[in-house]
Amino acid sequence: MTAQTWRALLKEKYQLSLRLFLFLNAFSALFSIVSPLYAAQQVTLPLTGVLVGSTGLLIWHALNSQRRININLVSLLFGLMWAAQIALKFTAIPKPDLSYLLVALLTVLFIGSLSFINNLSAFICHCLPVIVTVIWLDQAQHLMRMAYAVALPMLGIAIQHLIQKRSDTFSQGLMLKLLEEKETLTDLSMMDPLTGLYNRRGFQNRLEHVLALGTGQHFVMLMDIDHFKAYNDHYGHMMGDQALTRVSAAIRDSVRSRDIVTRYGGEEFLVLLTNSDPQSAHQAAERIRQRVYDLRIPHMFNESVATNVTLSIGIAPLENQDIDSALRKADAALYEAKNQGRNHILFSESRHAA
């Protein structure tokens, strides 16, 4: 889950709560008209307003689901209409009847508690006008009974609100933690664990950002440790890994922070020089070659010849954002540099050793 999907989920909960509230109001108003508790004042303006308003808003919201309605304002409006309906109905009953007030109060509380179980403010906005009206009409004769009928759902909703708030806070914190871990894992999946350089996936990701900018000239450098198989065979893979780590650090320290340094294969490395020129590319390649040579990592080709670990480098320009073509040219230059005796730098176009 992302922050965006989290907000979408909250919005969906908000919409469902509003639609349930409008549906219950429309149903209750229709039921009050079709099967009233008393025949007096069977159809009133407030009751008609509840039925027409809730039905109209329900249809409008279904057609405009992306539009947000102020749920507190709507709940207060319907609460006032129910309060007016109860007052008109109660005054029209020949003999005041407490049961009507209780039924009316419980109906409104039922609508509010079902619709706004996670929204205490909307519940209060909807129920408060009716509660005040019922207590006023009853002249506070049954205040304790009324208070009990009101307090029970309010207490339940308040507790549920606190539980839901804690749950939402925990879920949101967990989601943010998971997103952080996901970003960390994504970063790790783009790095070579031995050398700390980008792997091919990381290179592709960075390359897309560089190409998206569409500015400057770029150069691809492919480099390979000379006779590395012989090094591994003679010194062992543990020493081979140490040599790779030291060579990787030398390459990274020889270029700018904006350049992309990648472990492209076993002992093969790739550097993308961004916003550069041929002269700067050659200078960068020479720095890399010299720094690796200066590491003085001993390398014995055979019993009679001893030397140090060296690099051969092939360079090609990245033209028309065609990375495959640039890699082919750089690879061909690298192959030729090795044929010329290794520890060489060769441009793909000039084919002149340096």
Side-chain angles (χ1 to χ4, degrees):
M1 179 181 287
T2 64
Q4 186 175 1
T5 56
W6 175 263
R7 288 192 294 270
L9 180 62
L10 293 179
K11 183 178 180 181
E12 185 177 355
K13 285 175 61 179
Y14 183 94
Q15 291 176 337
L16 289 175
S17 178
L18 177 61
R19 290 179 183 180
L20 178 60
F21 173 72
L22 294 173
F23 171 77
L24 291 176
N25 272 283
F27 180 82
S28 298
L30 182 63
F31 186 81
S32 297
I33 293 173
V34 174
S35 180
L37 190 61
Y38 292 98
Q41 291 288 337
Q42 186 169 342
V43 180
T44 64
L45 184 61
L47 190 60
T48 304
V50 172
L51 178 60
V52 174
S54 56
T55 304
L57 278 176
L58 192 60
I59 295 172
W60 181 86
H61 193 255
L63 298 175
N64 301 273
S65 58
Q66 300 303 316
R67 300 289 294 274
R68 190 177 178 89
I69 298 177
N70 190 320
I71 203 167
N72 288 336
L73 183 60
V74 171
S75 59
L76 178 61
L77 177 62
F78 280 91
L80 291 171
M81 286 192 288
W82 277 116
Q85 162 63 16
I86 292 169
L88 287 174
K89 186 84 172 179
F90 186 77
T91 54
I93 297 174
K95 185 179 179 181
D97 188 358
L98 175 64
S99 61
Y100 170 74
L101 292 179
L102 283 174
V103 169
L105 177 61
L106 290 174
T107 298
V108 173
L109 291 173
F110 175 78
I111 293 173
S113 59
L114 275 184
S115 305
F116 305 129
I117 192 168
N118 295 318
N119 192 336
L120 186 60
S121 60
F123 174 82
I124 293 174
C125 287
H126 179 61
C127 298
L128 187 60
V130 174
I131 294 170
V132 172
T133 301
V134 167
I135 293 175
W136 173 66
L137 291 173
D138 184 55
Q139 297 180 358
Q141 293 182 21
H142 304 87
L143 185 60
M144 291 301 296
R145 190 175 298 179
M146 298 288 184
Y148 175 77
V150 171
L152 197 60
M154 286 192 70
L155 181 62
I157 289 177
I159 294 173
Q160 173 63 25
H161 179 75
L162 291 175
I163 294 173
Q164 187 65 43
K165 188 174 181 179
R166 291 187 63 183
S167 176
D168 288 346
T169 301
F170 174 77
S171 298
Q172 192 168 15
L174 182 61
M175 180 197 70
L176 293 174
K177 185 68 175 176
L178 289 173
L179 287 175
E180 290 175 1
E181 292 181 359
K182 179 183 176 183
E183 290 178 0
T184 301
L185 290 173
T186 300
D187 291 341
L188 289 175
S189 71
M190 294 184 181
M191 306 299 287
D192 174 60
L194 176 64
T195 63
L197 303 180
Y198 284 111
N199 56 24
R200 290 198 179 198
R201 180 181 177 186
F203 170 74
Q204 189 63 39
N205 181 268
R206 286 290 309 277
L207 176 65
E208 290 174 0
H209 286 84
V210 170
L211 296 181
L213 296 176
T215 57
Q217 186 178 13
H218 314 307
F219 288 85
V220 171
M221 292 197 304
L222 273 179
M223 53 199 74
D224 190 89
I225 300 178
D226 297 326
H227 298 296
F228 190 71
K229 184 179 184 304
Y231 186 93
N232 263 336
D233 292 342
H234 185 83
Y235 295 101
H237 289 286
M238 185 175 294
M239 291 295 293
D241 286 349
Q242 290 183 16
L244 283 171
T245 302
R246 294 180 66 188
V247 169
S248 300
I251 296 172
R252 184 175 54 238
D253 293 342
S254 301
V255 297
R256 302 162 301 179
S257 59
R258 70 187 187 194
D259 298 325
I260 305 171
V261 185
T262 306
R263 185 184 179 189
Y264 203 61
E267 70 272 16
E268 191 173 20
F269 300 90
L270 184 156
V271 176
L272 181 67
L273 297 172
T274 61
N275 297 322
S276 188
D277 55 68
Q279 184 179 359
S280 298
H282 182 271
Q283 290 172 352
E286 177 58 30
R287 282 197 305 272
I288 293 172
R289 188 198 66 79
Q290 190 63 48
R291 284 204 182 192
V292 171
Y293 184 80
D294 290 343
L295 292 174
R296 303 295 179 188
I297 303 173
H299 187 345
M300 183 176 290
F301 295 157
N302 53 53
E303 294 180 358
S304 60
V305 180
T307 184
N308 298 322
V309 165
T310 57
L311 275 180
S312 294
I313 305 174
I315 310 174
L318 176 58
E319 299 172 326
N320 301 319
Q321 298 193 350
D322 189 351
I323 187 62
D324 293 331
S325 175
L327 286 171
R328 284 195 300 270
K329 292 177 181 179
D331 188 58
L334 172 61
Y335 182 78
E336 227 176 287
K338 284 186 172 292
N339 286 338
Q340 293 184 9
R342 293 177 167 81
N343 196 25
H344 278 61
I345 301 169
L346 198 68
F347 267 90
S348 64
E349 294 178 349
S350 64
R351 292 290 192 271
H352 294 307

